[in-house]
Amino acid sequence: MSLTVCNVHLTPNSEKILYVSNSLLKQLKLAGKKSVRLRLGKTSIPATVKPIKKPGKHLYVTAGLRSSFRVPKSGLVYLLNEHEGDLQLGPLIGVMSDTSSRSVTSPFGSRTGFIKQILRAGNKKAYVFAFSPRDINWQNDTVHAFFVTDSGAWVRKTVPLPDVVYNRLPSRRAETSTSINALRERFIKKKIPFFNWSFFNKSDVYALLKDESDANRYVPESIMNPTPDTIRAMLDRHQFVYYKPSAGSLGIGIYRLTYLPKKGYFARYTNNGKNVLLRFKQFSSLIRMLEARHGRSLRGYVVQQGVRLIEIDGCPIDFRFHMHKNGEDKWVVVGIGAKKAGRGSVTTHVKNGGRLMTPEQALQRAFGARAEEVLDNSKQVAIELAEAIERNHPHLLGELGFDLGIDRDEQVWMFEANAKPGRSIFKHPSLKSEGQSSIEHILEHCLYLSKFRRGEST
């Protein structure tokens, strides 16, 4: 097997011939070969080979070949020679997303900018396109794909099914639909690696870690669908707890519940962008308020042990760890953002008055000279958690976001794990390079899954 980078040219000739420079033929050990099988994504065709005298690694694909072999563009791309007589261009990488309001300049809604970044970074050595489920034609195994030109414009081209799919569907509801479940199974049946499978619910994460004793020690006590008696017992044990929706995100619907002997019960939450603090003399009154807002069953919620986090100016700090699989299929920490809660806010989300900082800024304030050691330890914990989740998850993962906290004793706690983490931490000026590194890691993992590993290129 060999992997190299070559320059692909698209020519107008009508004959079905593949012209290959002599130096490339020699490297591929195809000198004297009359024909090869040419592959792109999930399609392949036989092609007659003709050598040409041209220095460097060049491949000329004629219009005659392109009528049944849809090469999307000319330029530098990987060439994989896995079996004798087989030449595979690519990889052909598909980024799957969707929006309810597609436009010419914004085909993927609010995710358009991020997706364009991936495509532009990938254009250097691969074929990277974006698509939504409705763009797939399963009858002829093609995709009416979105590509980005060098000038940044969107163009549509029909290509074969890709070598690998990076899933960034934005809707939890859509992902649980029958059509999306069927789509994922079709990709698997066709042996097309597909990551990340779906959003996590909080209950998913607890279930994945329940038998992982080492990793589970970083998870606060958490109980799904708690009864009022359970909530009361948790308050007695921990003094304060978080009560939050299992399928929630962005801090929406989270309550911080506190019990102070002789003072009563307190509920802090955000309503219409404003922080609310309520006091109840009786526990039963607190429960009646929750039932009035969310139904008597209290199902779909989790109650989680409160943790006394490190603070700056009396405001708690937590951390978003953005994790990726790299080109060697190993978990690495790519970016960390520290989030300082706004005064009176129940969460550290920026929308609720939170402030984004670098981890070094936050930990220096909290731990002084020990800041670097505390940060290194938390990175190891994040990798340990990612490995534990992956061991128990039935599908491919390539990206995770952890909301971690650190208490005053330097203990690390995991509050949330996200299979499709947001990218707000990369808006911090000091994390811009980490944002670019995140995109590079996505592409590197796509190369790994599609067997176009850079480490083996020549």
Side-chain angles (χ1 to χ4, degrees):
M1 171 177 160
S2 70
L3 180 64
T4 189
V5 175
C6 71
N7 206 335
V8 172
H9 307 266
L10 307 182
T11 72
N13 312 33
S14 59
E15 62 223 338
K16 295 192 174 184
I17 292 175
L18 185 69
Y19 293 94
V20 187
S21 62
N22 280 321
S23 58
L24 183 56
L25 275 175
K26 188 176 179 183
Q27 183 183 322
L28 297 172
K29 298 178 181 174
L30 293 175
K33 270 267 185 189
K34 300 295 184 190
S35 64
V36 294
R37 181 152 286 276
L38 196 56
R39 299 182 183 276
L40 176 69
K42 288 299 167 184
T43 192
S44 69
I45 60 165
T48 301
V49 174
K50 279 197 177 177
I52 53 168
K53 291 182 180 178
K54 185 176 176 72
K57 302 170 188 177
H58 297 273
L59 206 64
Y60 290 80
V61 185
T62 62
L65 286 175
R66 296 199 308 277
S67 61
S68 52
F69 187 75
R70 301 169 185 267
V71 182
K73 67 182 181 70
S74 58
L76 291 174
V77 73
Y78 280 103
L79 182 61
L80 178 64
N81 182 18
E82 195 172 12
H83 307 289
E84 189 177 339
D86 259 25
L87 295 182
Q88 184 170 2
L89 295 175
L92 192 59
I93 297 169
V95 180
M96 186 169 77
S97 192
D98 210 348
T99 182
S100 56
S101 55
R102 178 182 281 181
S103 69
V104 174
T105 55
S106 185
F108 299 98
S110 62
R111 283 160 184 77
T112 299
F114 166 52
I115 290 171
K116 183 178 277 192
Q117 281 183 289
I118 298 174
L119 270 55
R120 295 191 86 161
N123 272 346
K124 296 164 188 171
K125 287 184 180 175
Y127 299 126
V128 190
F129 65 88
F131 70 105
S132 66
R134 65 188 120 151
D135 297 321
I136 305 171
N137 184 329
W138 291 108
Q139 274 67 49
N140 57 16
D141 285 349
T142 59
V143 184
H144 193 38
F146 288 83
F147 286 85
V148 170
T149 65
D150 291 340
S151 64
W154 291 100
V155 294
R156 304 292 300 271
K157 294 179 182 180
T158 299
V159 292
L161 290 176
D163 293 302
V164 60
V165 175
Y166 170 47
N167 175 24
R168 284 302 299 206
L169 280 178
S171 166
R172 285 174 180 268
R173 182 178 295 177
E175 280 204 327
T176 58
S177 68
T178 305
S179 60
I180 297 299
N181 281 329
L183 174 144
R184 287 185 292 224
E185 294 298 339
R186 272 177 145 161
F187 279 124
I188 300 306
K189 194 173 282 188
K190 291 181 181 293
K191 295 183 169 56
I192 297 173
F194 180 100
F195 78 104
N196 300 318
W197 189 259
S198 64
F199 288 97
F200 289 157
N201 285 338
K202 293 173 180 62
S203 56
D204 298 334
V205 180
Y206 305 145
L208 292 170
L209 293 177
K210 70 181 173 63
D211 295 325
E212 293 279 345
S213 56
D214 287 342
N216 206 32
R217 64 192 163 137
Y218 304 116
V219 181
E221 183 183 6
S222 307
I223 300 173
M224 284 297 303
N225 303 320
T227 65
D229 287 345
T230 303
I231 296 173
R232 187 168 200 162
M234 288 276 282
L235 281 169
D236 287 341
R237 265 199 303 282
H238 304 296
Q239 191 178 36
F240 77 97
V241 299
Y242 287 94
Y243 180 71
K244 46 194 180 181
S246 177
S249 61
L250 303 176
I252 297 167
I254 294 180
Y255 296 81
R256 176 175 161 141
L257 308 179
T258 306
Y259 170 57
L260 296 176
K262 299 182 182 177
K263 290 187 178 180
Y265 296 88
F266 297 81
R268 190 184 290 278
Y269 61 97
T270 301
N271 188 33
N272 295 326
K274 294 182 178 178
N275 296 323
V276 179
L277 176 62
L278 300 178
R279 175 176 174 264
F280 304 90
K281 287 185 178 180
Q282 303 293 329
F283 177 74
S284 57
S285 303
L286 168 65
I287 292 298
R288 275 198 298 275
M289 181 275 291
L290 293 174
E291 289 176 343
R293 291 176 63 85
H294 302 288
R296 291 186 62 82
S297 70
L298 301 182
R299 294 192 66 79
Y301 264 71
V302 58
V303 62
Q304 187 174 76
Q305 167 191 348
V307 174
R308 297 282 176 199
L309 299 176
I310 55 172
E311 295 180 348
I312 293 178
D313 304 324
C315 299
I317 301 282
D318 68 12
F319 301 84
R320 165 55 64 93
F321 279 64
H322 204 109
M323 315 290 295
H324 281 285
K325 279 293 197 74
N326 63 16
E328 297 173 349
D329 203 34
K330 304 290 186 190
W331 285 106
V332 290
V333 179
V334 171
I336 307 171
K339 298 176 293 175
K340 176 185 174 186
R343 286 209 173 272
S345 175
V346 71
T347 73
T348 57
H349 289 85
V350 174
K351 273 189 174 181
N352 297 334
R355 178 185 157 214
L356 194 59
M357 310 166 67
T358 67
E360 290 82 5
Q361 288 171 329
L363 292 172
Q364 190 71 40
R365 292 276 297 273
F367 295 108
R370 290 192 49 73
E372 188 176 347
E373 190 175 337
V374 172
L375 182 59
D376 287 344
N377 176 58
S378 63
K379 287 179 181 178
Q380 283 305 118
V381 169
I383 290 169
E384 191 179 328
L385 285 164
E387 290 172 346
I389 287 172
E390 184 186 27
R391 269 195 299 275
N392 296 285
H393 196 270
H395 303 292
L396 288 175
L397 295 172
E399 180 179 30
L400 287 169
F402 290 127
D403 287 336
L404 301 183
I406 302 173
D407 66 23
R408 295 158 190 173
D409 298 322
E410 301 181 13
Q411 162 80 23
V412 178
W413 298 91
M414 186 200 79
F415 302 121
E416 304 275 351
N418 301 285
K420 295 188 196 175
R423 303 183 60 80
S424 60
I425 64 167
F426 300 126
K427 291 177 182 175
H428 192 285
S430 298
L431 293 171
K432 191 173 180 182
S433 63
E434 283 86 346
Q436 187 57 41
S437 177
S438 167
I439 286 166
E440 293 294 338
H441 276 79
I442 291 165
L443 293 166
E444 286 291 335
H445 193 52
C446 287
L447 290 171
Y448 172 83
L449 291 174
S450 59
K451 299 181 181 176
F452 284 78
R453 298 180 183 87
R454 288 190 183 180
E456 297 175 10
S457 62
T458 54

